Amino acid sequence: MESAPIPGQNPVELEFTQENIETALYQLYFDPDMERKNVAQKWLTQAQASAQAWQFCWALLSPDKIPEVQFFGASTLHIKICRHWGDLPADQHEDLRMQLLSHILCFSSGPKMVLTRLCVALASMALNLIPQAWSEPVADMVRAFQPQKPDSQDNPGAKASQDPHAHCLALLELLTVLPEEFQSGRLARARRTQLREALAGEWAVVCGMLRQLLQSQDSSVQVKEKVLRCLSSWVGLDVPLGESQELVQDCFAALSDPGLFDTAVETIVTAITQPDCQRFANVLLSLMPMVLGLYDQLKTAAQDGDMETTHGICRIAVALGETHSRVLLEQLDHWQEYLALVNMILFCTGIPGHYPVNETTSSLTLTFWYTLQDDILSFEEEKQAVYLQVYKPVYFQLVDVLLLKSHYPSQEEYASWSSDDKEQFRIYRVDISDTLMYVYEMLGAELLSNLYDRLGRLLMDPQQSAVWQDIEALLFGFQSIAETIDVNYSDVIPGLIGLIPRINIGNVMLADTVMYTIGSLAEWLADHPVMLGGILPMVLRGLVKAELSVSSISTLKRICRECRQDLAPYAQDILTVSQDVLVKEIHESSQCMWLMQALGFLLSALPAEEILGRLHSLISPHIQQLDSLVRLEPDPATKQGIMSILGLLSSLFTTLDVNRQADGLDEEDASPRLTAAQSIQNPVVVVLQQVFPLIQTIISKWLHDSEVVEGVCGVFDKSVRTLLHDFGPMVAQLSEMLGQIYSTYPQAPALDLTRQMVHIFAGEEQHMSDVRSLVEVLTSTTLSVFQQGPRDHPDIAESFMNLHAQVLKRSPDLYPSTQVDVKALFYSGILSIKFPETPTVKAACLFFTEFLSRCKDMPALNDVLQTDGKILTETVLQAVGGGSSRSLAENFSEVLLSLNRHSPALLSQWLTETLQTPGFPSAHVTTEQKHTFSQQILREQTNKRRVKETVKEFSLLCRGLLGAGFSEC
């Protein structure tokens, strides 16, 4: 389509005339300049809101206009009716209705997008007039679309079009969008109820017409499809299923037409899953034979590999069986029919083929089995026993089906799958795992015994020629249950542990499942440590294989965490194999970090005198490598090596806690452990002191690389969090280094690490001086950053606010004894509130909440509040009024609550002074609304929830978003 010439004048300067509207539309649709498109779109939005829109919209609907122009005209009509209905005098309503009907008839043959928009506009109008001004809209619409003589005065569009087929489709479109417009509109509860009742009263007219069209031999596939979509739209209004029974039954006949199959499925599922359907048990029972009648078609489709048909029929069966499970269970006279439906769904669960390559149906059924089981187990005991007698065999069959569906394909076939198919299959197996875990609640220990017996026969019977998928599936079943169910008292687990070493783990997928199964039994092994000797060698054999990286390392980590008290006899083997795979770099960096965490658990439980030696042995190769890397010139490869080693150390120090083990031992059984009072230092501290010069060298060469600095700080951060007060001997050295790092090149990780040190050591007299000096240096440097303009450093602003919130919370007496400029600190908080980054604003609000809580006890803080509290109040109100995200309302409410709790008189004065400014914080709020807001804030000094609701409501008011009804949609 050729673009019309665009005048040089900017559309923003033009009047809202038809000609200018069309010019702007051509600019919007056909001008390649995005800036000009945006200007046009903004102006067109203003045009739609103008009073002239009621007139120019009709001109844009002229038959000689291009579809884009006509669509804009129809959209404008909808917007005017929807948002500006009150602007139209009541005496013009009838003319508008007749014009809309006339245009709908004119556009009944297309374009489709214009027709739909006009239908939506008329639907919106109907919802504004029902029921008082338009009592029977549906009947009137149907009458308007009846074939008329050309000279008829009753039909406004008679002269425009006499195509009955097009008229029928247009009427169905109109009847389809009417309930949809009701559902999408923002309505007050009372108005919604009134409209729902009025529309439900029209259902008899709609239903009769839809049945007639669906049954008629003369109706085209297009008309029947529209009938089905119209039914779907109306059942969303909760029209009684009893009044739609025959129409829903007619929909089953449409399933035999390939052109209608998908739409018929959607309609039937929508109709029988409405919440109100449960009141009509007889109707549901009447639908049961019709659903069961699809079983043969389902089997044929499954045999032929027709995925679309199996998928659709399965959806119908599951919709009936799952949505109404309890109702149908309670129909005792029809138990055989429901059991037949359950078996039909079981067939769907076991559809032949591998998901998702050969079939996508079986996944639809999994939630049904949860629902059915829940409903059965919710009956009283006597009734429950009867149902269990019927359905337990079905659930044992289900287990067989699920294990079969979890089978991997052959390695050759699996290798041909796309990565997306493999990921979907992985998720599918997780869903099966969850289902098996749930089924255990019904089948109990009998299920585990069943799985164990089958696994034993596969592994012990020489007559059995088991494929690896059978063994893997049974282990997968065990693992699914053991992951979440306490199997400590199961009498089959010892036998399972004895069987596992007999499994040949030459196949990677089988080996993975073996590893995960062992990991799921880690807690059981902790209670039965004698069994560790038979299992650990298998795990260590897996550890040396790169393809078993995730499963073997996660399993070793679980064993080291749960069984660490009993691992001393195996420690040397574990450490030897682990050191070997780390040095040879068999695993990826992230897995190596997991392995280090496992070794941290292991070392924590060893005798105190052994830990340091084994720790040195473990990390020495990495420290030597780090030393070599530091001597090299900085480049990406060197950086990656340094980051990997720092990550290993951080991970190790996350779990290496010698005091955790001591806490878990009985007093008389505990071997001597390291404590803060002993002269022997914590082994982690000893290592950190030894490598400290090397770390200083790293910092000196990589100071301007934020990732390396973050990696270094991460090592100390993890150590501080794990060791707590045992980290004390490092405080002086680390404080000095952090001060030097930050004063040279400010970076957020240094502030975050300092916050941890304040949290732990600010209250300890021997460390007070070091922490105070560090806070002073960091604060002075950061305030300089704020003076120069902090906008490019939101991470520093966030961490700085969090640091001082921690200082105020844990050790506010640091302020009087330091050279911290409290006034400058206060203003840095003000600037931080104005940042667009949400985490920074949250941190600033936390800082002010802590700051305000300390003002009464600290004159220096109170003086700043007295002189500058008004600026804080003004800044918070500006943010609430639209300067910040609405999601931050709770954070701002806490600042206002703190102000009111600690300085109510001052807050009252500040609110009065700031809110009296015209247009502040928004032009959308009136003086009365601002006064109400102030009173509500000042009234509450304890109720956080109420203050939050007040702030949230005021924020919506300021943004013009509160109180939108249907007429403002």
Side-chain angles (χ1 to χ4, degrees), residues 106-371:
C106 286
F107 282 94
S108 60
S109 298
K112 175 70 164 59
M113 63 179 183
V114 181
L115 172 64
T116 299
R117 217 74 210 127
L118 287 169
C119 289
V120 171
L122 183 57
S124 182
M125 180 181 181
L127 294 174
N128 277 314
L129 295 175
I130 295 172
Q132 291 84 358
W134 197 356
S135 57
E136 297 181 334
V138 172
D140 291 344
M141 290 173 188
V142 172
R143 195 177 305 113
F145 282 83
Q146 294 297 320
Q148 301 286 336
K149 295 179 181 179
D151 59 348
S152 171
Q153 299 299 312
D154 298 327
N155 188 336
K159 297 178 183 178
S161 170
Q162 281 296 312
D163 182 354
H165 183 258
H167 282 197
C168 183
L169 289 173
L171 174 59
L172 289 170
E173 178 71 14
L174 180 55
L175 294 177
T176 300
V177 301
L178 181 59
E180 291 173 352
E181 187 71 357
F182 165 77
Q183 299 285 15
S184 62
R186 288 179 290 184
L187 297 160
R189 183 177 298 178
R191 178 63 176 156
R192 181 172 291 279
T193 301
Q194 183 187 37
L195 280 174
R196 188 187 296 277
E197 290 175 355
L199 289 173
E202 299 266 26
W203 172 236
V205 176
V206 179
C207 185
M209 186 191 75
L210 295 183
R211 280 207 77 193
Q212 183 180 351
L213 289 172
L214 198 57
Q215 292 177 344
S216 172
Q217 298 294 322
D218 298 329
S219 295
S220 66
V221 171
Q222 197 177 3
V223 167
K224 290 184 177 180
E225 182 177 15
K226 206 69 189 164
V227 167
L228 294 169
R229 294 190 187 280
C230 188
L231 171 56
S232 288
S233 180
W234 278 82
V235 296
L237 296 176
D238 294 334
V239 294
L241 183 62
E243 296 177 16
S244 317
Q245 178 178 353
E246 293 83 2
L247 182 55
V248 174
Q249 289 172 345
D250 291 342
C251 293
F252 279 85
L255 292 170
S256 60
D257 186 333
L260 296 174
F261 181 83
D262 290 341
T263 310
V265 167
E266 199 65 48
T267 302
I268 293 169
V269 169
T270 303
I272 64 179
T273 53
Q274 295 303 311
D276 191 53
C277 291
Q278 306 226 355
R279 293 194 298 117
F280 303 95
N282 289 336
V283 178
L284 295 174
L285 289 172
S286 74
L287 294 176
M288 192 106 73
M290 307 191 78
V291 176
L292 292 174
L294 300 172
Y295 203 168
D296 288 339
Q297 186 181 353
L298 172 68
K299 291 177 181 176
T300 303
Q303 187 175 353
D304 295 342
D306 182 353
M307 292 172 64
E308 288 75 15
T309 301
T310 56
H311 199 85
I313 295 175
C314 176
R315 284 189 63 199
I316 294 172
V318 170
L320 182 61
E322 182 177 339
T323 311
H324 309 294
S325 171
R326 188 176 185 89
V327 172
L328 295 174
L329 279 170
E330 288 175 334
Q331 310 307 309
L332 298 179
D333 293 340
H334 299 270
W335 70 271
Q336 289 175 312
E337 288 176 72
Y338 188 57
L339 180 60
L341 180 64
V342 171
N343 281 309
M344 182 176 175
I345 295 172
L346 182 62
F347 176 84
C348 293
T349 306
I351 287 279
H354 285 106
Y355 181 96
V357 176
N358 310 116
E359 63 91 8
T360 56
T361 299
S362 57
S363 62
L364 301 175
T365 66
L366 297 181
T367 55
F368 164 76
W369 300 108
Y370 289 82
T371 305

Side-chain angles (χ1 to χ4, degrees), residues 33-85:
D33 187 333
M34 283 305 299
E35 187 174 346
R36 285 169 61 80
K37 283 178 179 285
N38 292 335
V39 169
Q41 184 171 23
K42 184 177 180 181
W43 183 81
L44 287 166
T45 302
Q46 294 170 352
Q48 287 181 316
S50 70
Q52 297 95 308
W54 288 109
Q55 284 75 46
F56 69 64
C57 61
W58 299 112
L60 298 178
L61 286 164
S62 175
D64 60 340
K65 304 300 181 186
I66 63 172
E68 289 84 356
V69 172
Q70 294 171 334
F71 178 77
F72 182 80
S75 295
T76 301
L77 258 176
H78 174 236
I79 287 172
K80 297 305 291 182
I81 293 170
C82 184
R83 299 181 184 174
H84 306 280
W85 179 249

Side-chain angles (χ1 to χ4, degrees), residues 4 138 249 473 558 644 737 864 913:
V138 172
Q249 289 172 345
R558 293 178 75 168
S644 295
M737 186 183 80
V864 174
E913 292 173 0

